[in-house]
Amino acid sequence: ASGIAVNSLGHCHPKLVNALNRQSRMLWHVSNLYLIKKQEQFASLLCKNSFADKVFFTNSGTESIECGIKIIRGYHSHYKTGKNQIISFNGAFHGRTFGALSAQKNKKYSNGYGPLLSGFKQVEFNNIEKLKKAINKKTAGIIIEPIQGEGGIRPADIKYLRFIRKICNERGILLFLDEVQCGFGRSGKLYSYEWAKIKPDIMAIAKGIGSGFPLGACLSTNKASISMTKGSHGSTYGGNPLAMSVGLEVLKIIS
Ligand SMILES: *Cc1c(COP(=O)(O)O)cnc(C)c1O
């Protein structure tokens, strides 16, 4: 189980131990008001190895999901499209914060904590007809795990993913992939969307990206993240030097 898809390089990989030790003697924390060199290096390497133009660093999967939800809402608000509804799928798991809970609508995780947020609609996984029916002029984004993790290692059909990409293009909807569990080499490719030869607009990653060090990221295209300007979103610890040293090393090894 590798710590639920976290220990992507096992425990105490010598190169990661080295990177963390080296950084721990230099600098642990500096505010994101300042330039953090390793953050830029890591972000460029993530972009070079994916569809993305931009990276926002977080400390967990669920924070990366919240960032992506904001990117979707902010995009449609910027262009005044009137769209704000997000479609997700049964069996999904996106994390434990309210945006994530509201998207996955799974009573096992949300019972007793209602009301959940509005603006989320859930559709049967891998069913093209039901998805077609669920999409309307308010649909702003679709969030999906290319391979559902907690839902039972259920892969989305390649043709289903391609259909979603196509309908998102046609209807001005942003495609948001949750690769927190199925990304970072877990599927045999760096990201599982590569199997379908599609590209998302936004993607949440975490777990295997830090191989055990708390680290997450939300990746996006320049186009999708139009509303994410200086000060629109933030994190105190996201992108801290310790996490960046480890993440950079993990990506170098895995990619
Ligand atoms: C684990 C997981 C999350 C949440 O990650 P945390 O780091 O626990 O917040 C989100 N999405 C998927 C697919 C996951 O497997």
Side-chain angles (χ1 to χ4, degrees), residues 185-214:
R186 193 76 184 172
S187 74
K189 297 212 185 269
L190 188 54
Y191 298 111
S192 25
Y193 70 76
E194 293 169 32
W195 290 105
K197 298 191 165 64
I198 57 156
K199 285 178 184 163
D201 303 297
I202 309 164
M203 179 171 72
I205 53 176
K207 294 206 165 107
I209 175 180
S211 196
F213 198 91

PDB file of all heavy atoms in Angstrom, residues 185-214:
ATOM      1  N   GLY A 185       3.705   8.454 -11.153  1.00  0.00           N
ATOM      2  CA  GLY A 185       4.293   7.169 -11.471  1.00  0.00           C
ATOM      3  C   GLY A 185       3.454   5.975 -11.071  1.00  0.00           C
ATOM      4  O   GLY A 185       3.753   4.838 -11.439  1.00  0.00           O
ATOM      5  N   ARG A 186       2.417   6.234 -10.309  1.00  0.00           N
ATOM      6  CA  ARG A 186       1.628   5.150  -9.741  1.00  0.00           C
ATOM      7  C   ARG A 186       0.994   4.246 -10.811  1.00  0.00           C
ATOM      8  O   ARG A 186       0.798   3.060 -10.593  1.00  0.00           O
ATOM      9  CB  ARG A 186       0.543   5.763  -8.844  1.00  0.00           C
ATOM     10  CG  ARG A 186      -0.169   4.806  -7.943  1.00  0.00           C
ATOM     11  CD  ARG A 186       0.681   4.400  -6.754  1.00  0.00           C
ATOM     12  NE  ARG A 186      -0.025   3.392  -5.966  1.00  0.00           N
ATOM     13  CZ  ARG A 186       0.488   2.725  -4.961  1.00  0.00           C
ATOM     14  NH1 ARG A 186       1.728   2.948  -4.590  1.00  0.00           N
ATOM     15  NH2 ARG A 186      -0.214   1.834  -4.314  1.00  0.00           N
ATOM     16  N   SER A 187       0.667   4.820 -11.968  1.00  0.00           N
ATOM     17  CA  SER A 187      -0.001   4.037 -13.021  1.00  0.00           C
ATOM     18  C   SER A 187       0.990   3.486 -14.048  1.00  0.00           C
ATOM     19  O   SER A 187       0.605   2.849 -15.019  1.00  0.00           O
ATOM     20  CB  SER A 187      -1.033   4.907 -13.744  1.00  0.00           C
ATOM     21  OG  SER A 187      -0.358   5.824 -14.599  1.00  0.00           O
ATOM     22  N   GLY A 188       2.278   3.766 -13.855  1.00  0.00           N
ATOM     23  CA  GLY A 188       3.264   3.338 -14.844  1.00  0.00           C
ATOM     24  C   GLY A 188       3.666   4.474 -15.772  1.00  0.00           C
ATOM     25  O   GLY A 188       4.653   4.386 -16.494  1.00  0.00           O
ATOM     26  N   LYS A 189       2.885   5.547 -15.792  1.00  0.00           N
ATOM     27  CA  LYS A 189       3.310   6.788 -16.442  1.00  0.00           C
ATOM     28  C   LYS A 189       3.389   7.828 -15.340  1.00  0.00           C
ATOM     29  O   LYS A 189       2.836   7.636 -14.254  1.00  0.00           O
ATOM     30  CB  LYS A 189       2.302   7.210 -17.510  1.00  0.00           C
ATOM     31  CG  LYS A 189       2.171   6.210 -18.656  1.00  0.00           C
ATOM     32  CD  LYS A 189       1.845   6.923 -19.951  1.00  0.00           C
ATOM     33  CE  LYS A 189       1.593   5.954 -21.092  1.00  0.00           C
ATOM     34  NZ  LYS A 189       2.836   5.645 -21.844  1.00  0.00           N
ATOM     35  N   LEU A 190       4.051   8.961 -15.617  1.00  0.00           N
ATOM     36  CA  LEU A 190       4.170   9.953 -14.550  1.00  0.00           C
ATOM     37  C   LEU A 190       2.775  10.384 -14.087  1.00  0.00           C
ATOM     38  O   LEU A 190       2.493  10.442 -12.896  1.00  0.00           O
ATOM     39  CB  LEU A 190       4.996  11.161 -15.017  1.00  0.00           C
ATOM     40  CG  LEU A 190       5.340  12.172 -13.923  1.00  0.00           C
ATOM     41  CD1 LEU A 190       6.027  11.546 -12.720  1.00  0.00           C
ATOM     42  CD2 LEU A 190       6.191  13.317 -14.482  1.00  0.00           C
ATOM     43  N   TYR A 191       1.878  10.656 -15.051  1.00  0.00           N
ATOM     44  CA  TYR A 191       0.487  10.977 -14.702  1.00  0.00           C
ATOM     45  C   TYR A 191      -0.440  10.035 -15.446  1.00  0.00           C
ATOM     46  O   TYR A 191      -0.179   9.703 -16.608  1.00  0.00           O
ATOM     47  CB  TYR A 191       0.172  12.430 -15.038  1.00  0.00           C
ATOM     48  CG  TYR A 191       1.051  13.387 -14.249  1.00  0.00           C
ATOM     49  CD1 TYR A 191       2.029  14.134 -14.882  1.00  0.00           C
ATOM     50  CD2 TYR A 191       0.921  13.476 -12.866  1.00  0.00           C
ATOM     51  CE1 TYR A 191       2.862  14.973 -14.143  1.00  0.00           C
ATOM     52  CE2 TYR A 191       1.750  14.308 -12.126  1.00  0.00           C
ATOM     53  CZ  TYR A 191       2.714  15.055 -12.765  1.00  0.00           C
ATOM     54  OH  TYR A 191       3.531  15.861 -12.034  1.00  0.00           O
ATOM     55  N   SER A 192      -1.544   9.655 -14.835  1.00  0.00           N
ATOM     56  CA  SER A 192      -2.385   8.659 -15.521  1.00  0.00           C
ATOM     57  C   SER A 192      -3.158   9.247 -16.687  1.00  0.00           C
ATOM     58  O   SER A 192      -3.591   8.498 -17.548  1.00  0.00           O
ATOM     59  CB  SER A 192      -3.295   7.883 -14.575  1.00  0.00           C
ATOM     60  OG  SER A 192      -3.581   8.546 -13.435  1.00  0.00           O
ATOM     61  N   TYR A 193      -3.309  10.583 -16.751  1.00  0.00           N
ATOM     62  CA  TYR A 193      -3.990  11.147 -17.930  1.00  0.00           C
ATOM     63  C   TYR A 193      -3.221  10.859 -19.217  1.00  0.00           C
ATOM     64  O   TYR A 193      -3.790  10.871 -20.311  1.00  0.00           O
ATOM     65  CB  TYR A 193      -4.242  12.653 -17.773  1.00  0.00           C
ATOM     66  CG  TYR A 193      -3.026  13.561 -17.829  1.00  0.00           C
ATOM     67  CD1 TYR A 193      -2.410  13.865 -19.049  1.00  0.00           C
ATOM     68  CD2 TYR A 193      -2.502  14.144 -16.680  1.00  0.00           C
ATOM     69  CE1 TYR A 193      -1.300  14.702 -19.111  1.00  0.00           C
ATOM     70  CE2 TYR A 193      -1.401  14.982 -16.728  1.00  0.00           C
ATOM     71  CZ  TYR A 193      -0.805  15.253 -17.939  1.00  0.00           C
ATOM     72  OH  TYR A 193       0.300  16.075 -17.995  1.00  0.00           O
ATOM     73  N   GLU A 194      -1.916  10.577 -19.094  1.00  0.00           N
ATOM     74  CA  GLU A 194      -1.101  10.309 -20.284  1.00  0.00           C
ATOM     75  C   GLU A 194      -1.600   9.075 -21.046  1.00  0.00           C
ATOM     76  O   GLU A 194      -1.458   8.988 -22.265  1.00  0.00           O
ATOM     77  CB  GLU A 194       0.369  10.125 -19.901  1.00  0.00           C
ATOM     78  CG  GLU A 194       1.005  11.407 -19.366  1.00  0.00           C
ATOM     79  CD  GLU A 194       2.374  11.175 -18.728  1.00  0.00           C
ATOM     80  OE1 GLU A 194       3.111  10.266 -19.166  1.00  0.00           O
ATOM     81  OE2 GLU A 194       2.703  11.905 -17.768  1.00  0.00           O
ATOM     82  N   TRP A 195      -2.176   8.110 -20.313  1.00  0.00           N
ATOM     83  CA  TRP A 195      -2.702   6.903 -20.975  1.00  0.00           C
ATOM     84  C   TRP A 195      -3.795   7.264 -21.972  1.00  0.00           C
ATOM     85  O   TRP A 195      -3.953   6.600 -22.989  1.00  0.00           O
ATOM     86  CB  TRP A 195      -3.253   5.910 -19.941  1.00  0.00           C
ATOM     87  CG  TRP A 195      -2.187   5.273 -19.104  1.00  0.00           C
ATOM     88  CD1 TRP A 195      -1.900   5.556 -17.805  1.00  0.00           C
ATOM     89  CD2 TRP A 195      -1.272   4.246 -19.487  1.00  0.00           C
ATOM     90  NE1 TRP A 195      -0.855   4.776 -17.357  1.00  0.00           N
ATOM     91  CE2 TRP A 195      -0.456   3.967 -18.371  1.00  0.00           C
ATOM     92  CE3 TRP A 195      -1.061   3.534 -20.674  1.00  0.00           C
ATOM     93  CZ2 TRP A 195       0.552   3.004 -18.398  1.00  0.00           C
ATOM     94  CZ3 TRP A 195      -0.062   2.575 -20.699  1.00  0.00           C
ATOM     95  CH2 TRP A 195       0.735   2.314 -19.574  1.00  0.00           C
ATOM     96  N   ALA A 196      -4.589   8.277 -21.645  1.00  0.00           N
ATOM     97  CA  ALA A 196      -5.713   8.651 -22.523  1.00  0.00           C
ATOM     98  C   ALA A 196      -5.286   9.678 -23.569  1.00  0.00           C
ATOM     99  O   ALA A 196      -6.079  10.056 -24.423  1.00  0.00           O
ATOM    100  CB  ALA A 196      -6.862   9.197 -21.681  1.00  0.00           C
ATOM    101  N   LYS A 197      -4.032  10.113 -23.488  1.00  0.00           N
ATOM    102  CA  LYS A 197      -3.512  11.138 -24.405  1.00  0.00           C
ATOM    103  C   LYS A 197      -4.394  12.381 -24.414  1.00  0.00           C
ATOM    104  O   LYS A 197      -4.681  12.958 -25.462  1.00  0.00           O
ATOM    105  CB  LYS A 197      -3.360  10.582 -25.833  1.00  0.00           C
ATOM    106  CG  LYS A 197      -2.372   9.426 -25.916  1.00  0.00           C
ATOM    107  CD  LYS A 197      -2.045   9.097 -27.374  1.00  0.00           C
ATOM    108  CE  LYS A 197      -0.819   8.206 -27.526  1.00  0.00           C
ATOM    109  NZ  LYS A 197      -0.962   6.859 -26.930  1.00  0.00           N
ATOM    110  N   ILE A 198      -4.844  12.767 -23.221  1.00  0.00           N
ATOM    111  CA  ILE A 198      -5.577  14.028 -23.085  1.00  0.00           C
ATOM    112  C   ILE A 198      -4.781  14.922 -22.148  1.00  0.00           C
ATOM    113  O   ILE A 198      -3.842  14.446 -21.498  1.00  0.00           O
ATOM    114  CB  ILE A 198      -6.985  13.824 -22.478  1.00  0.00           C
ATOM    115  CG1 ILE A 198      -6.874  13.125 -21.115  1.00  0.00           C
ATOM    116  CG2 ILE A 198      -7.878  13.039 -23.428  1.00  0.00           C
ATOM    117  CD1 ILE A 198      -8.024  13.355 -20.193  1.00  0.00           C
ATOM    118  N   LYS A 199      -5.145  16.199 -22.095  1.00  0.00           N
ATOM    119  CA  LYS A 199      -4.525  17.086 -21.122  1.00  0.00           C
ATOM    120  C   LYS A 199      -5.609  17.795 -20.329  1.00  0.00           C
ATOM    121  O   LYS A 199      -6.582  18.269 -20.917  1.00  0.00           O
ATOM    122  CB  LYS A 199      -3.665  18.131 -21.834  1.00  0.00           C
ATOM    123  CG  LYS A 199      -2.369  17.560 -22.353  1.00  0.00           C
ATOM    124  CD  LYS A 199      -1.568  18.601 -23.083  1.00  0.00           C
ATOM    125  CE  LYS A 199      -0.310  17.961 -23.677  1.00  0.00           C
ATOM    126  NZ  LYS A 199       0.284  18.802 -24.696  1.00  0.00           N
ATOM    127  N   PRO A 200      -5.430  17.896 -19.009  1.00  0.00           N
ATOM    128  CA  PRO A 200      -6.421  18.632 -18.212  1.00  0.00           C
ATOM    129  C   PRO A 200      -6.133  20.138 -18.263  1.00  0.00           C
ATOM    130  O   PRO A 200      -5.133  20.564 -18.858  1.00  0.00           O
ATOM    131  CB  PRO A 200      -6.172  18.106 -16.802  1.00  0.00           C
ATOM    132  CG  PRO A 200      -4.702  17.795 -16.785  1.00  0.00           C
ATOM    133  CD  PRO A 200      -4.357  17.332 -18.180  1.00  0.00           C
ATOM    134  N   ASP A 201      -7.021  20.925 -17.659  1.00  0.00           N
ATOM    135  CA  ASP A 201      -6.755  22.360 -17.480  1.00  0.00           C
ATOM    136  C   ASP A 201      -6.146  22.611 -16.104  1.00  0.00           C
ATOM    137  O   ASP A 201      -5.414  23.576 -15.902  1.00  0.00           O
ATOM    138  CB  ASP A 201      -8.064  23.151 -17.612  1.00  0.00           C
ATOM    139  CG  ASP A 201      -8.728  22.889 -18.960  1.00  0.00           C
ATOM    140  OD1 ASP A 201      -8.113  23.240 -19.979  1.00  0.00           O
ATOM    141  OD2 ASP A 201      -9.828  22.299 -18.988  1.00  0.00           O
ATOM    142  N   ILE A 202      -6.514  21.722 -15.169  1.00  0.00           N
ATOM    143  CA  ILE A 202      -6.079  21.859 -13.781  1.00  0.00           C
ATOM    144  C   ILE A 202      -5.818  20.445 -13.252  1.00  0.00           C
ATOM    145  O   ILE A 202      -6.508  19.506 -13.651  1.00  0.00           O
ATOM    146  CB  ILE A 202      -7.199  22.492 -12.913  1.00  0.00           C
ATOM    147  CG1 ILE A 202      -7.721  23.778 -13.548  1.00  0.00           C
ATOM    148  CG2 ILE A 202      -6.736  22.742 -11.482  1.00  0.00           C
ATOM    149  CD1 ILE A 202      -9.061  24.238 -12.987  1.00  0.00           C
ATOM    150  N   MET A 203      -4.848  20.306 -12.351  1.00  0.00           N
ATOM    151  CA  MET A 203      -4.607  18.981 -11.770  1.00  0.00           C
ATOM    152  C   MET A 203      -4.086  19.107 -10.344  1.00  0.00           C
ATOM    153  O   MET A 203      -3.174  19.900 -10.072  1.00  0.00           O
ATOM    154  CB  MET A 203      -3.589  18.205 -12.617  1.00  0.00           C
ATOM    155  CG  MET A 203      -3.265  16.815 -12.067  1.00  0.00           C
ATOM    156  SD  MET A 203      -2.277  15.834 -13.224  1.00  0.00           S
ATOM    157  CE  MET A 203      -0.690  16.652 -13.108  1.00  0.00           C
ATOM    158  N   ALA A 204      -4.681  18.312  -9.449  1.00  0.00           N
ATOM    159  CA  ALA A 204      -4.219  18.261  -8.060  1.00  0.00           C
ATOM    160  C   ALA A 204      -3.303  17.069  -7.902  1.00  0.00           C
ATOM    161  O   ALA A 204      -3.624  15.965  -8.356  1.00  0.00           O
ATOM    162  CB  ALA A 204      -5.406  18.131  -7.117  1.00  0.00           C
ATOM    163  N   ILE A 205      -2.140  17.284  -7.278  1.00  0.00           N
ATOM    164  CA  ILE A 205      -1.253  16.176  -6.942  1.00  0.00           C
ATOM    165  C   ILE A 205      -0.801  16.306  -5.489  1.00  0.00           C
ATOM    166  O   ILE A 205      -0.833  17.399  -4.908  1.00  0.00           O
ATOM    167  CB  ILE A 205      -0.025  16.069  -7.889  1.00  0.00           C
ATOM    168  CG1 ILE A 205       0.719  17.401  -7.978  1.00  0.00           C
ATOM    169  CG2 ILE A 205      -0.437  15.615  -9.275  1.00  0.00           C
ATOM    170  CD1 ILE A 205       2.004  17.333  -8.820  1.00  0.00           C
ATOM    171  N   ALA A 206      -0.392  15.208  -4.897  1.00  0.00           N
ATOM    172  CA  ALA A 206       0.136  15.179  -3.523  1.00  0.00           C
ATOM    173  C   ALA A 206       0.648  13.755  -3.294  1.00  0.00           C
ATOM    174  O   ALA A 206       1.197  13.163  -4.224  1.00  0.00           O
ATOM    175  CB  ALA A 206      -0.940  15.553  -2.506  1.00  0.00           C
ATOM    176  N   LYS A 207       0.452  13.227  -2.117  1.00  0.00           N
ATOM    177  CA  LYS A 207       0.881  11.853  -1.797  1.00  0.00           C
ATOM    178  C   LYS A 207       2.285  11.528  -2.354  1.00  0.00           C
ATOM    179  O   LYS A 207       3.256  11.995  -1.788  1.00  0.00           O
ATOM    180  CB  LYS A 207      -0.175  10.836  -2.252  1.00  0.00           C
ATOM    181  CG  LYS A 207      -1.482  10.991  -1.456  1.00  0.00           C
ATOM    182  CD  LYS A 207      -2.327   9.728  -1.372  1.00  0.00           C
ATOM    183  CE  LYS A 207      -3.381   9.853  -0.292  1.00  0.00           C
ATOM    184  NZ  LYS A 207      -4.753  10.024  -0.780  1.00  0.00           N
ATOM    185  N   GLY A 208       2.394  10.774  -3.450  1.00  0.00           N
ATOM    186  CA  GLY A 208       3.686  10.296  -3.941  1.00  0.00           C
ATOM    187  C   GLY A 208       4.689  11.387  -4.287  1.00  0.00           C
ATOM    188  O   GLY A 208       5.889  11.132  -4.385  1.00  0.00           O
ATOM    189  N   ILE A 209       4.233  12.616  -4.455  1.00  0.00           N
ATOM    190  CA  ILE A 209       5.111  13.722  -4.853  1.00  0.00           C
ATOM    191  C   ILE A 209       6.171  14.032  -3.784  1.00  0.00           C
ATOM    192  O   ILE A 209       7.260  14.514  -4.092  1.00  0.00           O
ATOM    193  CB  ILE A 209       4.276  14.989  -5.197  1.00  0.00           C
ATOM    194  CG1 ILE A 209       5.130  16.210  -5.499  1.00  0.00           C
ATOM    195  CG2 ILE A 209       3.321  15.354  -4.113  1.00  0.00           C
ATOM    196  CD1 ILE A 209       4.298  17.445  -5.847  1.00  0.00           C
ATOM    197  N   GLY A 210       5.866  13.712  -2.527  1.00  0.00           N
ATOM    198  CA  GLY A 210       6.825  14.003  -1.462  1.00  0.00           C
ATOM    199  C   GLY A 210       7.446  12.743  -0.880  1.00  0.00           C
ATOM    200  O   GLY A 210       8.299  12.814   0.009  1.00  0.00           O
ATOM    201  N   SER A 211       7.019  11.578  -1.372  1.00  0.00           N
ATOM    202  CA  SER A 211       7.493  10.289  -0.876  1.00  0.00           C
ATOM    203  C   SER A 211       7.497  10.206   0.659  1.00  0.00           C
ATOM    204  O   SER A 211       8.386   9.611   1.254  1.00  0.00           O
ATOM    205  CB  SER A 211       8.889   9.974  -1.419  1.00  0.00           C
ATOM    206  OG  SER A 211       9.163   8.598  -1.234  1.00  0.00           O
ATOM    207  N   GLY A 212       6.521  10.855   1.288  1.00  0.00           N
ATOM    208  CA  GLY A 212       6.413  10.788   2.748  1.00  0.00           C
ATOM    209  C   GLY A 212       6.557  12.143   3.410  1.00  0.00           C
ATOM    210  O   GLY A 212       6.141  12.338   4.551  1.00  0.00           O
ATOM    211  N   PHE A 213       7.140  13.101   2.698  1.00  0.00           N
ATOM    212  CA  PHE A 213       7.196  14.458   3.239  1.00  0.00           C
ATOM    213  C   PHE A 213       5.896  15.166   2.851  1.00  0.00           C
ATOM    214  O   PHE A 213       5.470  15.053   1.706  1.00  0.00           O
ATOM    215  CB  PHE A 213       8.401  15.220   2.675  1.00  0.00           C
ATOM    216  CG  PHE A 213       8.760  16.427   3.505  1.00  0.00           C
ATOM    217  CD1 PHE A 213       9.671  16.331   4.528  1.00  0.00           C
ATOM    218  CD2 PHE A 213       8.126  17.651   3.281  1.00  0.00           C
ATOM    219  CE1 PHE A 213       9.983  17.429   5.322  1.00  0.00           C
ATOM    220  CE2 PHE A 213       8.429  18.748   4.069  1.00  0.00           C
ATOM    221  CZ  PHE A 213       9.358  18.639   5.088  1.00  0.00           C
ATOM    222  N   PRO A 214       5.237  15.882   3.791  1.00  0.00           N
ATOM    223  CA  PRO A 214       3.952  16.527   3.466  1.00  0.00           C
ATOM    224  C   PRO A 214       4.118  17.567   2.362  1.00  0.00           C
ATOM    225  O   PRO A 214       4.822  18.567   2.559  1.00  0.00           O
ATOM    226  CB  PRO A 214       3.536  17.209   4.777  1.00  0.00           C
ATOM    227  CG  PRO A 214       4.407  16.615   5.834  1.00  0.00           C
ATOM    228  CD  PRO A 214       5.656  16.145   5.171  1.00  0.00           C
TER     229      PRO A 214
END
